[in-house]
Amino acid sequence: MLRQQGLLAIAAVLALFIILHLGFPPDAHGPRTTGTTMLGGIAFLLMTASVVLSTRLDLFEELFGGLDRMYQVHRVAGTFAAVFALVHFFGVPKDLPEGMDPVANALVPSAPLGMLGLIFLVIGLFVALNRKIRYSRWRPTHKVMALVYVLVIGHFMTAPAIFFERFSASGVLLIIAAAIGMVALVYSLFGMNRRTAVPFTIEAVNALERATEVVLKPVGDMIDFKPGQFAFVEVQGKGWSEPHPFTISSAPGEDRLRFTMKVLGDWTRKVREELQPGGEVMVRGPYGRFDAARAAGRKQIWLAGGIGLTPFLSKLRAMQPGDDRHIHLVYAAREEQDAIFLDELKARAAELGNVTLIPLFSEEGNFARVDKMKENLPDPLGTYEYFMCGPKPMIDGLMKDLKKEGVSRKSIHTEAFEFR
Ligand SMILES: Cc1cc2nc3c(=O)[nH]c(=O)nc-3n(C[C@H](O)[C@H](O)[C@H](O)COP(=O)(O)OP(=O)(O)OC[C@H]3O[C@@H](n4cnc5c(N)ncnc54)[C@H](O)[C@@H]3O)c2cc1C
């Protein structure tokens, strides 16, 4: 679930900027200049938030409730930045104040830098939000946003004082934000977070029904993770391109790391068809805050749709007999054959005693539905804590119906298997 702290931190910086900007405007600035430069400043601060979030630092995961949530905020902040930048562009006074030399003004690069920044921002945003573009193509093009950020800094730092007073109260805040943003940009752009990558060798590649289990043996230390967390998997060797995120499906105490990958596109197909034991893999993580053990509620409903089982698989594999939670695991798959690890789940549920497994197969007309849960669960829906992972339409539908039944949003935890 998206945590409030991170959003409040962004809101606090924006509020501080607005107070400083409106409270201490330079004498030479008319109301229109003050208003439109404020919008430009807000756009820049939102871009900075977006850049800072792309560092994937652990601290921000804590503030926002996980990397997937950080990427959601990254996307929304970027979109609003573009909207504010456009309004700033159309609203900012175009006529030069009296006494201003037009030739001297034309020599200042601020306007062309701003214009270029805006054009790239709008194109970049169009690309960023376009889900039809394949991820492997999308990722390098998204890097154009780094250029936009630098152009925007150039735009306001070279702006004449009649538009931007560098050493005004709000100007200093923007300069501090630019310094932080540039450090964050260099950090993410040059992949410094990759330094935390841990080497593994491939021990086995097991073909499952429409999925592949990859078993990894640590070269040195095993990574430290909690059930439900995910990591970026980067196969070493030619043609394997970028790292891909996968939930760790093994339990923390195991001496091997396991990922279960549904065959969805080029990369996951290549894993199934070409990945060989003995190869090298770098694993970067763990990330994510999909942690059912931390939740206050002891009565939990786990809803897994298809490959969305993986976080629950790790949780079940890690669970010890005597766990005081009461768990209903609803596992929705197309048909029994598609329900990977079903036998293991049944055996674990029988062994643990506190887990009720409810497999549902859509081919048999059984779907995960809130009205059915209401009928069959021993207690009212509002008394449970919900953890859901699966296809977006399924999660959105269940969430809507749970809210209709009065279940608090705070009791619903979801894991999205996509960042875009
Ligand atoms: C937090 C998280 C946990 C995940 N856990 C699992 C899991 O346990 N099992 C599983 O089967 N799948 C999981 N996924 C999904 C998995 O990452 C994608 O299915 C896989 O990367 C698809 O790659 P592809 O090239 O085969 O398919 P494509 O057809 O290229 O991509 C399919 C989808 O995956 C996204 N995607 C592709 N490449 C990347 C990438 N490098 N980084 C981020 N997103 C990408 C695309 O945006 C697209 O929506 C998880 C995703 C996330 C974000």
Side-chain angles (χ1 to χ4, degrees):
M1 199 180 70
L2 179 61
R3 293 213 190 113
Q4 302 294 322
Q5 290 100 313
L7 294 182
L8 289 175
I10 296 177
V13 175
L14 291 180
L16 177 66
F17 171 74
I18 293 170
I19 291 167
L20 294 177
H21 196 78
L22 296 181
F24 308 96
D27 293 339
H29 291 187
R32 184 167 165 192
T33 304
T34 303
T36 51
T37 51
M38 182 180 81
L39 297 178
I42 292 174
F44 178 69
L45 290 174
L46 287 171
M47 284 182 78
T48 305
S50 226
V51 169
V52 167
L53 285 177
S54 63
T55 56
R56 301 179 180 168
L57 289 180
D58 202 43
L59 161 75
F60 301 121
E61 276 217 283
E62 212 41 54
L63 288 177
F64 286 88
L67 191 63
D68 49 343
R69 305 296 180 245
M70 280 161 66
Y71 275 111
Q72 279 172 6
V73 177
H74 166 90
R75 203 169 48 228
V76 172
T79 309
F80 275 101
V83 172
F84 279 107
L86 277 169
V87 182
H88 160 78
F89 169 75
F90 286 112
V92 85
K94 305 287 181 295
D95 298 331
L96 292 178
E98 258 179 63
M100 177 94 192
D101 177 1
V103 179
N105 183 58
L107 294 175
V108 174
S110 173
L113 289 177
M115 178 65 100
L116 266 181
L118 189 65
I119 293 170
F120 281 127
L121 177 62
V122 173
I123 297 173
L125 197 71
F126 176 76
V127 172
L129 299 180
N130 191 338
R131 283 164 185 269
K132 289 196 180 131
I133 300 173
R134 275 191 18 215
Y135 191 89
S136 48
R137 294 226 177 94
W138 174 87
R139 199 166 177 257
T141 40
H142 191 54
K143 289 192 176 161
V144 76
M145 289 301 193
L147 174 66
V148 172
Y149 193 71
V150 175
L151 287 171
V152 171
I153 294 177
H155 165 63
F156 68 74
M157 287 305 285
T158 59
I162 48 149
F163 293 119
F164 178 66
E165 183 56 77
R166 272 168 281 284
F167 296 107
S168 64
S170 61
V172 171
L173 182 64
L174 289 189
I175 292 171
I176 295 172
I180 296 171
M182 280 310 294
V183 172
L185 195 71
V186 170
Y187 183 84
S188 336
L189 212 57
F190 292 99
M192 290 186 188
N193 44 13
R194 285 188 192 191
R195 277 184 314 188
T196 53
V198 179
F200 284 82
T201 48
I202 303 166
E203 188 172 81
V205 181
N206 304 323
L208 309 170
E209 189 65 28
R210 279 186 253 261
T212 317
E213 185 189 50
V214 178
V215 184
L216 302 177
K217 183 178 169 200
V219 172
D221 290 338
M222 173 59 89
I223 62 168
D224 192 16
F225 65 96
K226 293 202 178 73
Q229 287 196 294
F230 66 92
F232 288 88
V233 176
E234 194 170 1
V235 178
Q236 304 298 291
K238 236 178 142 197
W240 282 98
S241 61
E242 75 281 342
H244 285 245
F246 290 95
T247 302
I248 302 167
S249 54
S250 45
E254 292 180 33
D255 58 359
R256 298 289 183 269
L257 199 65
R258 285 187 275 169
F259 293 96
T260 310
M261 304 175 177
K262 183 176 174 175
V263 180
L264 208 69
D266 294 349
W267 196 88
T268 41
R269 189 165 305 111
K270 198 169 153 81
V271 163
R272 191 180 176 86
E273 290 169 2
E274 295 177 27
L275 201 65
Q276 292 294 329
E280 271 179 61
V281 168
M282 298 299 281
V283 176
R284 194 150 28 97
Y287 293 101
R289 294 290 184 274
F290 193 54
D291 186 0
R294 281 203 332 183
R298 308 321 289 169
K299 287 191 295 179
Q300 302 185 353
I301 310 287
W302 295 357
L303 284 150
I307 197 63
L309 176 75
T310 50
F312 303 112
L313 204 52
S314 175
K315 291 176 202 299
L316 264 195
R317 284 170 169 168
M319 200 180 285
Q320 300 295 322
D323 192 295
D324 66 349
R325 285 172 292 172
H326 293 283
I327 293 158
H328 286 80
L329 169 56
V330 181
Y331 182 18
R334 202 161 53 174
E335 55 185 334
E336 183 153 0
Q337 207 191 353
D338 262 10
I340 47 174
F341 299 112
L342 188 58
D343 289 341
E344 181 184 339
L345 295 178
K346 284 180 184 164
R348 267 317 265 159
E351 189 186 338
L352 290 163
N354 64 326
V355 178
T356 309
L357 177 67
I358 308 159
L360 297 174
F361 305 121
S362 56
E363 297 259 299
E364 294 171 9
N366 294 320
F367 299 89
R369 276 171 37 187
V370 171
D371 55 343
K372 292 274 176 212
M373 287 199 271
K374 197 175 169 184
E375 262 170 51
N376 294 309
L377 286 171
D379 296 308
L381 292 178
T383 61
Y384 294 90
E385 202 88 23
Y386 296 81
F387 293 85
M388 309 198 274
C389 185
K392 198 171 179 312
M394 172 183 147
I395 301 298
D396 289 349
L398 286 167
M399 181 112 88
K400 207 168 108 208
D401 292 348
L402 283 171
K403 282 202 223 147
K404 261 194 226 154
E405 289 292 337
V407 175
S408 148
R409 178 67 189 84
K410 281 194 178 145
S411 304
I412 309 175
H413 313 262
T414 60
E415 176 77 326
F417 268 8
E418 59 177 29
F419 291 142
R420 279 212 271 168

